[in-house]
Amino acid sequence: MRAILCPGQGSRPTALLPDVEDGAPQQESVGSSPVPKAVRRLVREASAVCGLDLPKLVRQSVENPDGEPLGTHVAQPLTVLISLLSALRAGLLGPAEGERAALDGPQPGTVVAGHSLGSVTALALAGALSPLEAVRLAAVRGRAMASCCTADDGTRLGGMSAVVGGEREDVLAQIHAAGLTVANVNGATQVVASGTFEALARLSAPTGARLVPLDVAGPFHCPLMAGAAPALEQAVRCLPDRPLLRPVVDDATGELHPVGTSSRVLLEALAGKLTAPVRWDLVQERLVALGTDEAVVLAPAQVLAGLARRGLPGVRLTRLS
């Protein structure tokens, strides 16, 4: 079985977006589709629905890799767009002809899963959202979360740190003792804590563990993000209900949502996930239980590919760019 894995906001873009000017090359075949023309159209339309010049913002970030990370309001629609472009180039943006029959069987032929923001991308690959709906929803999510990241005077409220190694019970005890929230459980050896900078300063690594501060714009997946929920709830109310064309593994519970499931259930869950932990450990356990033998990580793939290498032993891994 093949799993398509959709990254969250943690990975910075490492390559420029394709040229969207009319003078760019018109075709490059993937199957029978003129992909570059479709790629340029998606980039142009995504920039329009976000009200952002995404190619220019990517260029600035790539040319200054040691600078501040892109703001959440930019990074989220941009990450979803980059993921969708990599899927489009690889012919993975929708179920291929004949794949539907495989999906209707007792074992899904292709399953999708997204880490945090990647859940939006996963819903696009599952047919619950169009590509532009996914980018637009990510833009709403990003703007709403960005407003929760700073105080009225513009100062940042908090951040995130990974605790790598150590015994799980000891790690969780230290996180809670510092007044932090468990934001991500990424596997057997990595838990991410989120909260204010004051609480992060109190966090100490238990025996056998080390702390890795994360290059993120805010304290995601903790109660400080609660204010972002109403905007996301309103945005998903405007979206149509569609049956899933591919099964989706839920990044909060590891539950498998089969083909035909109403997209409404998954869309309405997005707002609650803003303050809930990502349980990528449960996602990977589910993928192993399903007999996954191939995992394709959409771009930007750095972080999620690393988690897959550790959490999906023996699975053939492909990183898209």
Side-chain angles (χ1 to χ4, degrees):
M1 190 197 75
R2 175 178 61 181
I4 305 175
L5 307 180
C6 309
Q9 186 181 337
S11 294
R12 294 176 69 136
T14 58
L16 299 177
L17 287 176
D19 189 357
V20 298
E21 299 300 324
D22 290 337
Q26 290 295 308
Q27 283 199 1
E28 172 186 44
S29 290
V30 172
S32 60
S33 301
V35 170
K37 187 174 182 180
V39 164
R40 293 199 313 277
R41 183 172 63 249
L42 181 53
V43 171
R44 184 166 53 247
E45 293 176 350
S47 293
V49 301
C50 297
L52 299 167
D53 187 343
L54 294 176
K56 177 180 178 181
L57 292 165
V58 170
R59 187 179 308 110
Q60 292 171 346
S61 178
V62 170
E63 291 174 352
N64 187 23
D66 297 323
E68 286 291 313
L70 289 168
T72 300
H73 69 293
V74 175
Q76 294 206 15
L78 178 59
T79 298
V80 169
L81 174 61
I82 289 172
S83 294
L84 293 173
L85 291 173
S86 69
L88 177 60
R89 290 192 187 98
L92 299 174
L93 196 52
E97 190 132 356
E99 187 180 31
R100 185 78 61 87
L103 293 175
D104 286 340
Q107 290 292 320
T110 298
V111 66
V112 296
H115 188 290
S116 186
L117 169 67
S119 293
V120 175
T121 311
L123 289 176
L125 267 67
L129 297 170
S130 72
L132 286 181
E133 286 171 343
V135 173
R136 185 184 294 112
L137 188 60
V140 171
R141 186 181 188 271
R143 287 193 299 269
M145 292 175 70
S147 70
C148 298
C149 290
T150 57
D152 292 340
D153 61 2
T155 57
R156 290 173 58 192
L157 294 175
M160 304 172 79
S161 284
V163 186
V164 181
E167 295 294 327
R168 176 68 60 82
E169 288 186 5
D170 296 338
V171 170
L172 297 180
Q174 290 288 73
I175 290 173
H176 293 142
L180 294 163
T181 298
V182 174
N184 306 338
V185 182
N186 284 329
T189 61
Q190 186 185 114
V191 178
V192 176
S194 180
T196 65
F197 288 123
E198 293 79 9
L200 287 168
R202 293 194 294 268
L203 180 63
S204 58
T207 302
R210 58 190 174 90
L211 301 182
V212 181
L214 301 184
D215 183 19
V216 295
F220 304 131
H221 292 284
C222 81
L224 291 171
M225 292 294 112
L232 196 54
E233 290 168 347
Q234 181 176 356
V236 301
R237 277 198 295 269
C238 301
L239 293 168
D241 184 11
R242 301 182 179 108
L244 297 185
L245 301 181
R246 283 173 169 154
V248 175
V249 180
D250 197 303
D251 71 329
T253 64
E255 177 185 356
L256 181 69
H257 300 279
V259 170
T261 300
S262 165
S263 65
R264 180 59 50 200
V265 175
L266 286 85
L267 288 167
E268 291 179 350
L270 291 175
K273 290 182 177 183
L274 295 173
T275 56
V278 174
R279 293 300 307 269
W280 199 247
D281 58 330
L282 299 181
V283 170
Q284 295 189 131
E285 289 174 11
R286 174 69 68 178
L287 294 177
V288 170
L290 288 170
T292 301
D293 56 10
E294 177 188 5
V296 180
V297 185
L298 302 186
Q302 308 95 289
V303 173
L304 215 51
L307 297 179
R309 277 194 301 271
R310 293 186 290 272
L312 298 173
V315 173
R316 186 169 69 257
L317 183 64
T318 300
R319 289 176 49 161
L320 299 184
S321 59

